[in-house]
Structures are given as C-alpha cells and as structure tokens.
Amino acid sequence: NNDDDGKETTAADVAVVVLVHSATGGVGLWASEIAARRGGVVVGVVGHAHKIPVFQERILPLCPAAQCFVRSSNPQQFAKDLQDAVVRARLLHHSQQQQQQQEHQEANKEDVDLSSLCGFRYESAHDLVERGWGVDYVMESYGGPYFMPSLDLINPGGSLATFGSTTYNGRGNNNRNRIAFLPLLWKYLTRPRIDPGCLTTRNIRVGGFNLIFLTQNEKELRNALENCIQCLSSNSSHADHDDDNDDEHAKDDDDDPLARVTPPVVGHVFEFDTQAVEALQTLRSGKTVGKVVLTNPNNPLLQQQ
C-alpha cells in the first residue's frame, strides 16, 4: 500500500502495539483499557484460558484487533506465541484500517501461515523488530524467563515498565503458607540481567514502579488515580460511538470524567481482620481475575460514610 506521498506503508506503520502481562489482573485490565482507549493495539497475556473471555469482553469493543493468549510454561514457546500474537494483531489492525474483510478473516485463522500474510519470514524477535513489527510498550509483571522475550520484542524508541515478578511467588507443595526457599533462591540467582549498553544501542527504556510505595504516598496516589481516570474516560479509541448519544451525555460527562470510567473488576473480597492470609493465598494462586479486595468494616472512615 502507498500513502498520499507515494511512500510504501505496512501494518507496522499504522499501529502502536502495547503488550500487557497479567492482562486480566487489577493493574493489567486497566492498563489494557487505557491503551485501547488511547488508540493502541493491545496484546494481552494471561495465565489461564478461562481469563481470555474477561479480556475480550472488556477490550475488544475498544480495540477489535486486540489479541490475548495463555502464557506457556515453556519460555521458548511463550516467545513464539508472543511473536505470533503481535503479528496477528498488526495484521488485523491493518485489515480493519483498509477495510479488507478477506485479509481480516485470513489473519483470524488459528492455523494460517502468518509469515505469508505479513510478507516476510520471521523466526525470532530480532526479525520482527528489524522491520518495526515488534511492540512499542510493555507492561511486564512475570519476570524470570518471561522477561527477556518481552524485552527483545520492543521496537526502537519503545518502553518497558515492570510492576511485579509473579515468577518469584514461591509456594511449598504441602503447606500453602510455607515458602519454598530453594526454588525461590534458584529463580533469584537466574533472574534476567540487563546490559545498559543494549538499551542505548536499541534506543529503548526500562523502568518500574511499586504499587505499595505508591499507596503510602497519598499525594502521588491521588495524582496517579486522576491520570488514570482521565485516560479511562477518554473516547479516543477504535470503537464506534453513537454521535447522538455522545452529544446527549457530553455535558454531564465533562463535569464528571469518572462517570465515563468502566468500574474495575473485583474478583474476590475478603475481610481484613479474619481473611487476610486467605486473600494473599488467593492472590498468589495466579487464578484470580480482576482485583483481590480487603475490606475493613471497622475503619472509621467507612463508618462515617
């Protein structure tokens, strides 16, 4: 395809791809929605197949080209699945932009040869990044052997933000409250190492944030929450909107951006006084969807409300 200036364009030229680990978790689901509402093409990774419909219900109306796949226990297979998901997302986005229904149907097939559709063979992350077919932003939470496949797939100028390392959730086999120290030590010693020189060579950025630290700084937390609300209340997305309906509610929504925000998914609720340990065990199980919430009915602030 050619643009107005005669320059050849590809699917890689018209999409900003955002990769989100733990895409149906409390952070991941909001991150996916923010990316979709800002016009990004979202590729989500989840730990179990039953989480995929949750992602699709929330994100596909905003980003029809979004992809979601289950993280393989084999890091090499994970890397391959990730590359295929990114290529599929770019192809679907491109076909939707060009209104090429036949291409869209082909790219959606599970057994299709994606290399034949994108026009070149790819066998590694390098092959995709070299052509600009990698990802542009990564929200990373797995760590361990899953970190580098995500980092390797970042396009020049892209960024990775890590917000957790669920790989290091060591659990004993016989006692759920017992930490398996030896496996945890091995994972720590074999954790991924980043050469700062490769960051400058590839022109990519790596950072991280700690949600616990954020919650202990009320001012920063409020600022971050307000920014999230502004992004989540944005109508800038791939979804089609009813103009008349938008006009009807625009005035009210402008006064209260929160009115346009889809509430976060709450998967489990526990009482702080009696179920805190059970809440932590549930969170560490990797089988949760959305947020795990601790309530404290004795909180004087809640009693005032």
Side-chain angles (χ1 to χ4, degrees), residues 42-43 86 89 94 102 110 113 124 134 183 192 197 246 251 254 264 267 290 296 301:
V42 183
V43 175
V86 171
H94 181 253
Q102 181 63 33
E110 290 293 332
D113 181 4
S124 67
D246 285 348
K251 184 175 181 180
D254 286 342
N296 183 7
L301 294 178

Side-chain angles (χ1 to χ4, degrees), residues 88 101-110 112 114 117:
R88 195 183 303 275
Q101 187 62 29
Q102 181 63 33
E103 181 181 333
H104 180 277
Q105 293 174 351
E106 288 297 318
N108 242 336
K109 294 179 180 179
E110 290 293 332
V112 70
L114 293 173
L117 291 182

Side-chain angles (χ1 to χ4, degrees), residues 256-279:
D256 184 15
L258 191 59
R260 295 196 300 268
V261 175
T262 307
V265 174
V266 176
H268 302 270
V269 179
F270 299 91
E271 288 191 8
F272 179 81
D273 290 342
T274 60
Q275 298 177 304
V277 173
E278 184 180 352

Side-chain angles (χ1 to χ4, degrees), residues 53-270:
V54 177
F55 175 91
Q56 293 174 332
E57 180 181 359
R58 189 86 164 213
I59 305 304
L60 283 181
L62 300 169
C63 175
Q67 296 291 298
C68 187
F69 68 97
V70 177
R71 180 190 64 182
S72 171
S73 59
N74 183 316
Q76 286 73 33
Q77 184 60 48
F78 167 77
K80 176 59 177 172
D81 293 342
L82 173 57
Q83 293 163 23
D84 288 346
V86 171
V87 170
R88 195 183 303 275
R90 287 192 176 277
L91 288 171
L92 287 174
H93 177 78
H94 181 253
S95 66
Q96 291 159 3
Q97 293 294 305
Q98 302 298 321
Q99 297 182 339
Q100 296 174 353
Q101 187 62 29
Q102 181 63 33
E103 181 181 333
H104 180 277
Q105 293 174 351
E106 288 297 318
N108 242 336
K109 294 179 180 179
E110 290 293 332
D111 57 349
V112 70
D113 181 4
L114 293 173
S115 292
S116 65
L117 291 182
C118 64
F120 63 92
R121 304 296 303 180
Y122 64 92
E123 297 181 355
S124 67
H126 175 75
D127 295 336
L128 293 175
V129 171
E130 191 175 39
R131 293 174 177 264
W133 281 64
V135 300
D136 301 290
Y137 299 96
V138 179
M139 291 291 292
E140 196 276 334
S141 72
Y142 294 138
Y146 302 99
F147 181 89
M148 294 308 296
S150 302
L151 182 72
D152 290 342
L153 200 55
I154 299 177
N155 286 327
S159 303
L160 180 148
T162 183
F163 61 96
S165 295
T166 57
T167 299
Y168 305 126
N169 279 348
R171 296 186 294 274
N173 294 327
N174 299 323
N175 188 337
R176 296 179 67 186
N177 294 324
R178 181 180 178 184
I179 298 176
F181 285 103
L182 289 180
L184 189 59
L185 177 61
W186 173 252
K187 291 177 181 179
Y188 176 77
L189 293 175
T190 58
R191 68 193 186 280
R193 305 294 204 276
I194 300 177
D195 177 8
C198 83
L199 303 181
T200 55
T201 301
R202 295 178 54 195
N203 190 29
I204 61 176
R205 297 171 294 276
V206 174
F209 63 92
N210 187 318
L211 288 175
I212 296 176
F213 172 83
L214 190 61
T215 57
Q216 294 174 343
N217 294 267
E218 182 179 351
K219 184 177 180 180
E220 290 187 42
L221 180 62
R222 288 184 179 275
N223 289 337
L225 183 59
E226 289 174 1
N227 288 334
C228 284
I229 290 173
Q230 290 298 325
C231 291
L232 288 165
S233 63
S234 169
N235 286 328
S236 175
S237 72
H238 298 288
D240 294 328
H241 297 282
D242 187 331
D243 293 337
D244 294 335
N245 187 62
D246 285 348
D247 292 340
E248 181 180 346
H249 297 288
K251 184 175 181 180
D252 294 337
D253 289 348
D254 286 342
D255 295 334
D256 184 15
L258 191 59
R260 295 196 300 268
V261 175
T262 307
V265 174
V266 176
H268 302 270
V269 179
F270 299 91

